[in-house]
Amino acid sequence: MKEQDVQNWLNEYGRAWVNGDPDHLVTLFFDTATYRETPFDDPMNGRDQIREYWQNGAADAQENVEFTSQVWATKNNAAIAGWQARFTRKASGARVELDGTFRLVFSNEQGTLKCIALEEWWHIRES
């Protein structure tokens, strides 16, 4: 796995977020992937739970989304990346800025990079 492979995956993740497309987002994950939004939350397990989280928390709740990311390190099948996002909350009109970190574990079966585990940490500023 190369840094560019991870950056390409992050670009697709960002594209799915910007477009409010949880169906595309879950194609980036293995069927049995785990997704942990914060270190203290129980992980979401599998594509169905990940899709529901993204439908409710992003697609239905956010607009004017912007996303950028940077790969910081890769080793074997793991990566650490930074990311930044901005969006407007549909319900309140508040503008939100997030600055976060991903710890990602991938599988590259059949030539396609898919995430097995995602853990994230983020800070928020809302105006």
Side-chain angles (χ1 to χ4, degrees):
M1 180 180 75
K2 299 176 185 171
E3 282 188 22
Q4 188 59 54
D5 298 328
V6 176
Q7 188 61 62
N8 292 344
W9 187 92
L10 289 165
N11 292 346
E12 287 302 309
Y13 180 97
R15 186 178 345 266
W17 192 352
V18 167
N19 292 332
D21 189 352
D23 292 326
H24 178 65
L25 186 119
V26 297
T27 67
L28 302 172
F29 292 86
F30 245 60
D31 290 341
T32 57
T34 60
Y35 190 120
R36 188 181 301 262
E37 183 187 16
T38 68
F40 301 110
D41 290 339
D42 291 332
M44 290 164 261
N45 295 296
R47 285 182 175 173
D48 289 342
Q49 287 185 5
I50 295 168
R51 187 194 179 290
E52 181 180 355
Y53 164 74
W54 274 96
Q55 183 68 52
N56 296 334
D60 292 344
Q62 302 169 3
E63 59 190 359
N64 305 316
V65 178
E66 302 169 38
F67 178 86
T68 59
S69 61
Q70 315 77 40
V71 177
W72 292 341
T74 61
K75 183 172 183 179
N76 300 326
N77 66 337
I80 304 294
W83 59 271
Q84 301 73 41
R86 292 183 177 92
F87 59 85
T88 302
R89 292 194 190 279
K90 288 181 181 179
S92 67
R95 192 69 178 155
V96 176
E97 294 179 79
L98 298 169
D99 189 6
T101 302
F102 284 141
R103 181 170 51 198
L104 305 159
V105 179
F106 292 100
S107 176
N108 197 7
E109 290 183 19
Q110 303 169 353
T112 303
L113 195 66
K114 298 236 185 221
C115 187
I116 298 171
L118 179 150
E119 296 174 313
E120 65 183 326
W121 298 262
W122 44 267
H123 292 276
I124 187 170
R125 177 169 47 190
E126 191 164 342
S127 57

